[in-house]
Amino acid sequence: MISLITPCFNSEKTIEATIRSVYEQTYTNFEYIIVDGGSTDNTVSIIEKWIPLFEGRLSYISEADKGIYDAMNKGINMAQGNLIGIVNSDDWYEKNTVELVTKHYTGADYEVVYGMQRTVSGSKEIMVFIKNHEFLPDNMITHPTCFVTKKTYQDFGYFDLTYRSSADYDFMLKIFLNKKVKFTPVYSILSNFAAGGMSSGQVGIRENARIKLKYGIISNKKSKFIIVKSHLYEFLTKKK
C-alpha cells in the first residue's frame, strides 16, 4: 500500500485540484492523509466534501501545528503504507504517478523513488526537469516527486523542525550520505509544482548553506559568504 500526505493551511484556492489529482490515480491501493494546520477558511469543508468519494481511503486531522514540516511529520507518523509520497496543497500529481512509482519501486527497505517535475507559474509551464540524486551535495532533487519508504523515516529520522524551508534537503542529504538508502529515478513526470514557495527564496538559500556546512560539503568561510550575500541581496531588493 502507498500512503499519500498533503499538509495544508488556508488552502481553499488550491487544495481541491490537489485532492482531485489523488482521487483520479490509476493505482488505487493507497491511503490519503490530509494534515491541516487549523485553517480558518473553507479548506476543511472542501476536504470533507471529498471524503465519501474516497470510500474510506481519505482521512484528515485539523489542528494547530509548528509549520509545514511538523504537518509532514504528523502525516508520516499516521501513515501505514510501505511508501510515502507528499503532495503539497498547491501541487498535484499526474494521473499515473502512483502506478509508475509502484512499478519502479524495487522493494528495498531503504529506498527513495523520485521522478520528473513540471514547474508551473499560473497556467504557464516553466520547465520539466529531474535532478540526479548523485548531485545532492550540490542541490536538492525534486522533492515533490519523492516517495520514501516508511522504514527510511523510522530508522533515519523525520524532518528537522529547526529549518523553515529546507528540512527536506537536510533529510535527503542525510540519507544520501549514509549510503544505505537506494535512490530509484523515474524518467516520467510525477508531480506538478507551483513556483513561488518559500524554499525558492533567500531563506532557502541561507538554510541550504548551513546544511552543506553541517555535512562538511562546504567550508565555514564559504557558508558565511553565501549567507552574507543572501542577506545583502534581500536588503537591496527591498530598498528598490
Side-chain angles (χ1 to χ4, degrees):
M1 187 176 73
I2 309 298
S3 295
L4 306 174
I5 299 168
T6 293
C8 63
F9 179 72
N10 287 346
S11 304
E12 64 179 5
K13 293 181 180 179
T14 59
I15 195 169
E16 191 147 34
T18 306
I19 296 172
R20 182 176 292 107
S21 78
V22 174
Y23 177 73
E24 293 178 345
Q25 288 300 303
T26 55
Y27 184 91
T28 59
N29 186 18
F30 66 82
E31 64 172 355
Y32 186 27
I33 302 166
I34 301 178
V35 184
D36 178 69
S39 291
T40 56
D41 63 2
N42 293 318
T43 299
V44 171
S45 62
I46 293 171
I47 295 168
E48 290 178 339
K49 181 183 72 175
W50 281 89
I51 289 176
L53 297 174
F54 277 84
E55 299 179 332
R57 292 177 295 160
L58 169 59
S59 61
Y60 81 95
I61 59 172
S62 182
E63 61 186 25
D65 57 39
K66 298 176 183 177
I68 190 169
Y69 294 116
D70 186 30
M72 290 179 181
N73 286 346
K74 288 181 181 181
I76 293 165
N77 269 321
M78 295 168 63
Q80 300 297 313
N82 305 94
L83 279 170
I84 300 173
I86 299 174
V87 54
N88 290 331
S89 60
D90 53 356
D91 303 337
W92 63 98
Y93 285 141
E94 294 293 294
K95 290 183 179 181
N96 64 341
T97 291
V98 180
E99 182 177 355
L100 284 170
V101 168
T102 58
K103 287 180 177 178
H104 286 80
Y105 173 47
T106 68
D109 284 339
Y110 304 135
E111 186 169 357
V112 178
V113 182
Y114 69 101
M116 300 178 73
Q117 172 182 299
R118 178 190 287 114
T119 302
V120 300
S121 178
S123 60
K124 294 183 179 179
E125 178 181 285
I126 299 174
M127 68 181 85
V128 175
F129 68 103
I130 186 170
K131 293 182 178 179
N132 190 293
H133 64 277
E134 294 290 345
F135 295 92
L136 263 165
D138 298 321
N139 289 293
M140 178 59 173
I141 59 175
T142 50
H143 187 244
T145 75
C146 290
F147 285 71
V148 182
T149 59
K150 172 85 171 182
K151 190 166 177 58
T152 300
Y153 286 116
Q154 289 173 329
D155 291 357
F156 293 95
Y158 292 6
F159 295 112
D160 186 342
L161 302 189
T162 60
Y163 298 107
R164 290 174 55 200
S165 73
S166 297
D168 49 350
Y169 183 49
D170 173 68
F171 173 78
M172 286 294 171
L173 193 54
K174 174 176 63 177
I175 63 174
F176 170 75
L177 294 173
N178 184 275
K179 302 298 184 182
K180 293 181 180 179
V181 181
K182 179 180 179 61
F183 284 78
T184 303
V186 179
Y187 294 99
S188 299
I189 297 172
L190 299 183
S191 184
N192 299 278
F193 174 79
M198 183 188 296
S199 60
S200 62
Q202 296 303 309
V203 172
I205 290 172
R206 294 192 289 269
E207 288 190 350
N208 284 357
R210 295 187 183 103
I211 290 166
K212 289 179 180 180
L213 173 63
K214 172 183 173 181
Y215 292 107
I217 294 169
I218 61 176
S219 65
N220 186 49
K221 182 178 180 181
K222 178 68 173 178
S223 175
K224 287 182 178 178
F225 173 78
I226 293 171
I227 291 169
V228 170
K229 182 180 177 182
S230 172
H231 279 297
L232 180 60
Y233 175 83
E234 201 170 53
F235 174 76
L236 293 174
T237 302
K238 288 179 179 179
K239 287 191 69 175
K240 288 183 179 180

